[in-house]
């Protein structure tokens, strides 16, 4: 997709997500569910399987487009399982060659909680369902994101000697419902071993590695998008709120806080854009692209601490209230920072594995 | 709106990468030959005119100066790559730094044809070193309050005043002095300032050292006692000094020396850690991640300068983030050493000396070229808060 088309996609995403964000902010809740109507709209626009292969009903786009969509959704504070449905579940299904049969998501209609009136009549029944994905690497129950609205789960099982992939209906699992700190739906469940599942497929070990980097890159993009938005919320609040007879932004102490938020957001944007570009050009099999992904997740995670602290300091008490938009970004930032590898995890991995795989020369890696 | 803060993504071209690798190979050979000892903060602390001439012979000084003035007509991105390589290895580049970074661009922008033809070829050849004549004892962050005065006389101006924090003035040939040419207008403090190219060997110039806390001498006070500057050494226009100086600052603030001053230490610590505790993580990953981001942000600012776009806010942003980070690297390595995490490394003494140098240089990182507090003010203006 050309730069022009990426910008067109950005405009489209802003339009759709902007409408939704406005209506959502009128009734903010602790629990933040997927709006089936929004998901339907996104599906109709070909955005829910943006990166899916066209022969499987996807839109055939790549990471630059996925990053635009992830960024805009994060910046608008709209909860949508783009990573889980498209970039993980959909990708693994395509990669492992899992059956695209009955019940497999193509466009991705949520299977549950879809009020009939909100689904525009398209003349034919919804063909797909919302999928989620999970990487299982240890025993016991795991947390699966979006288990509420999702009706099928694509599993990457790394417990055995060689990794396997399979898909199963959510209905076959015993689920303990859960919520992320951002209020998004999730569930705890024990996933069966691949040997017990019909249709499980053995996959290459590199698939697990790619899964981890996909998750990290998408979360880094979302973190950067949300921090960018937070920096502008800070600017808006500092300019609009008057105390001691003048706007907060006139106080140097407040300016220092706001600019620190803006600096961190800008830094994160730079590294995330570079990582997306490298992955788009060279793919996840390229060690340097993986180095940049690790750097992006580590750097964005690190910045969250300062951004959240300063943003709330700028906003004062109101920023902590459910009624204020800041809180949804705060909660998302905290949820995404710990997700798909902590900051520490990626810092360590950057220094050890990622750097070793590029040849070990830090300066050469940094400047490539 | 954010596009005003972060310039568009720029990646290095194949040709620039090739140049980068040439410089890297040259520097490696120089280190192997013992031509210099890698150090931290070398763009301030390591003055080596012979090494600067060596770089100049290879076309790596004054790179962006047009060919007609003896330069090489290269891009800011080429210059960015070369300066990154020089800093990363810790080469002695103080002799060329100011001239290459901001004097040449200022001359190109505001200088007369005579000034360009007089100075630029010598800068490009590595034969003329420059300092900065902005700060004064009573004018630190508040640059517009400078008290140095220039009085018009027959055929030129006579300067009276005192400049300070002039790095390398005792070895340099000239500086641009910012001086008041008209009384302060309380309604417009930035008016009435002008810039002059001052020969530091001229009559009436006295240079006195300011010794740093580790005993080293890089900074100076420059006393200007009735120093005559001919009319043809006025830079730009009389009264436009503030505008000229602030445009100089965009070059001064945006380069890789704002995040790579301690890179040689990071590299040494990482190497030492691998030597003593192979396969484990040292905790330096945090700095590696941020430097990766800073490199990208900074290269994008260079792209901005190349395109002739306004980069003041972005440059301030890089400097705030980068100078903090290069200091944090020094602190992390100091802690690693104190906790014995690098015990067993072959040359612990050398690493300790490098670390000591870095932590003592650190306080200056976030001061020089505009304190981080002043820079955040610049960014706040960019955000529309001021």
């Amino acid at each position: 997709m050309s730069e022009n088309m990426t910008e067109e996609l950005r405009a489209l995403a802003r339009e759709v997500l902007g409408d939704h964000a406005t209506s959502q902010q009128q009734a903010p809740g602790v629990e933040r569910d997927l709006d089936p109507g929004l998901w339907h709209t996104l599906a109709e626009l070909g955005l829910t399987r943006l990166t899916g292969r066209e022969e499987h009903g996807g839109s055939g786009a790549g990471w630059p487009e996925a990053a635009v969509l992830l960024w805009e959704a994060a910046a608008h504070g709209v909860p949508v399982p783009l990573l889980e449905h498209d970039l993980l579940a959909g990708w693994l299904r395509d990669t492992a060659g899992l059956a695209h049969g009955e019940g497999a998501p193509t466009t991705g209609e949520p299977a549950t909680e879809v009020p009939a009136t909100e689904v525009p009549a398209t003349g034919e029944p919804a063909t797909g369902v919302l999928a989620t994905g999970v990487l299982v690497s240890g025993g016991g129950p795991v947390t699966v994101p979006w288990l509420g609205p999702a009706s099928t789960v694509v599993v990457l099982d790394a417990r055995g000697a060689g990794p396997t992939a399979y898909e199963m209906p959510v209905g076959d699992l015993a689920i303990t419902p859960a919520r992320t700190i951002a209020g998004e739906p999730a569930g705890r469940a024990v996933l069966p071993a691949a040997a017990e599942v019909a249709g499980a497929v053995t996959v290459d070990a590199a698939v697990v590695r790619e899964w981890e980097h996909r998750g990290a890159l998408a979360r880094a993009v979302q973190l950067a998008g949300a921090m960018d938005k937070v920096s502008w919320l800070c600017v808006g609040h500092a300019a609009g709120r008057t105390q001691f007879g003048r706007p907060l932004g006139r106080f140097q102490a407040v300016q220092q806080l706001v600019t620190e938020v803006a600096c961190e957001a800008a830094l994160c944007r730079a590294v995330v854009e570079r990582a997306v570009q490298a992955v788009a050009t060279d793919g996840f099999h390229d060690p340097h692209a993986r180095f940049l992904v690790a750097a992006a997740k580590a750097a964005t995670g690190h910045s969250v601490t300062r951004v959240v602290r300063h943003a709330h300091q700028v906003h004062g008490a109101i920023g902590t209230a459910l009624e204020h938009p800041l809180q949804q970004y705060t909660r998302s930032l905290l949820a995404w920072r710990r997700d798909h590898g902590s900051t520490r995890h990626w810092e360590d991995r950057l220094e050890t594995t990622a750097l070793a795989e590029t040849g070990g020369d830090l300066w050469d890696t940094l400047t490539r | 709106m954010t596009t005003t803060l972060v310039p568009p993504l720029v990646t290095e071209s194949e040709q620039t990468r090739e140049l980068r690798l040439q410089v890297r190979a040259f520097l490696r050979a120089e280190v192997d030959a013992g031509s210099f000892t890698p150090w931290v903060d070398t763009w301030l602390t390591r003055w080596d005119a012979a090494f600067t001439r060596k770089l100049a012979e290879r076309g790596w000084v004054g790179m962006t100066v047009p060919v007609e003035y003896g330069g090489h007509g290269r891009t800011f991105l080429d210059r960015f790559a070369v300066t990154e390589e020089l800093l990363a290895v810790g080469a002695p580049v103080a002799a060329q730094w100011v001239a290459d970074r901001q004097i040449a661009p200022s001359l190109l922008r505001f200088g007369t044809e005579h000034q360009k033809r007089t100075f630029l070829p010598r800068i490009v050849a590595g034969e003329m070193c420059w300092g900065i004549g902005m700060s004064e004892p009573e004018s630190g962050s508040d640059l517009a309050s400078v008290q140095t005065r220039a009085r018009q006389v027959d055929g030129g101006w006579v300067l009276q005043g005192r400049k300070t924090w002039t790095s390398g003035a005792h070895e340099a040939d000239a500086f641009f002095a910012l001086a008041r040419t008209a009384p302060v207008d309380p309604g417009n403090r930035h008016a009435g300032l002008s810039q002059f190219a001052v020969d530091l060997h001229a009559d009436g110039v006295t240079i006195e050292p300011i010794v740093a806390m580790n005993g080293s001498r890089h900074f100076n006070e420059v006393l200007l006692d009735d120093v005559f500057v001919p009319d043809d050494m006025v830079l730009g226009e009389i009264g436009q000094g503030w505008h000229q100086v602030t445009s100089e600052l965009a070059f001064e603030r945006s380069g890789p020396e704002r995040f790579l001053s301690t890179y040689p230490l990071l590299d040494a610590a990482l190497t030492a850690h691998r030597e003593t505790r192979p396969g484990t993580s040292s905790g330096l990953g945090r700095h590696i991640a941020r430097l990766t981001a800073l490199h990208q942000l900074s290269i994008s600012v260079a792209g901005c300068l190349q395109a002739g776009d306004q980069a003041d806010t972005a440059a301030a942003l890089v400097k705030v983030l980068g100078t903090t980070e290069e200091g944090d690297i020094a602190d992390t390595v100091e802690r690693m050493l104190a906790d014995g995490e690098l015990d067993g490394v072959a040359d612990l003494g050398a690493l300790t000396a490098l670390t000591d140098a870095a932590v003592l240089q650190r306080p200056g990182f976030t001061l020089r070229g505009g304190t981080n507090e002043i820079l955040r003010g610049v960014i706040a203006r960019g955000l529309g808060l001021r």
Side-chain angles (χ1 to χ4, degrees), chain A residues 328-341:
Chain A
Q328 62 189 350
Y329 296 101
T330 298
R331 290 196 289 145
S332 292
L333 288 172
L334 297 175
W336 293 333
R337 174 174 65 174
R338 65 177 72 160
D339 210 6
H340 290 274

Side-chain angles (χ1 to χ4, degrees), chain B residues 163-210:
Chain B
K163 291 294 173 183
T164 193
W165 303 115
T166 307
S167 11
H170 55 306
E171 315 216 45
D173 302 294
F175 70 4
F176 285 145
L178 180 68
R180 195 149 270 296
T181 43
V184 180
D185 170 4
N188 182 8
R189 299 172 68 237
H190 298 157
L193 294 166
S194 308
Q195 278 185 295
F196 301 87
V198 177
D199 177 359
L200 289 173
H201 306 298
D203 287 345
V205 175
T206 310
I207 294 167
E208 292 173 349
I210 300 174

Side-chain angles (χ1 to χ4, degrees), chain A residues 348-359:
Chain A
D348 290 351
R349 195 160 167 173
L350 181 67
E351 183 198 340
T352 54
T353 323
L355 190 52
E357 286 172 0
T358 60

Side-chain angles (χ1 to χ4, degrees), chain A residues 95-128:
Chain A
T95 300
L98 296 176
H100 278 264
E102 182 80 27
T106 52
T107 56
E109 294 292 324
T112 56
E113 299 174 27
V114 184
T117 51
E118 285 191 25
V119 180
T122 56
E124 53 185 51
T127 52

Side-chain angles (χ1 to χ4, degrees), chain B residues 134-151:
Chain B
M134 294 192 200
S135 297
E136 294 184 5
E138 301 306 320
S139 303
S141 290
D142 180 12
L143 190 57
S145 70
V146 291
Q147 291 168 17
T148 296
R149 282 174 199 285
R151 173 168 52 88

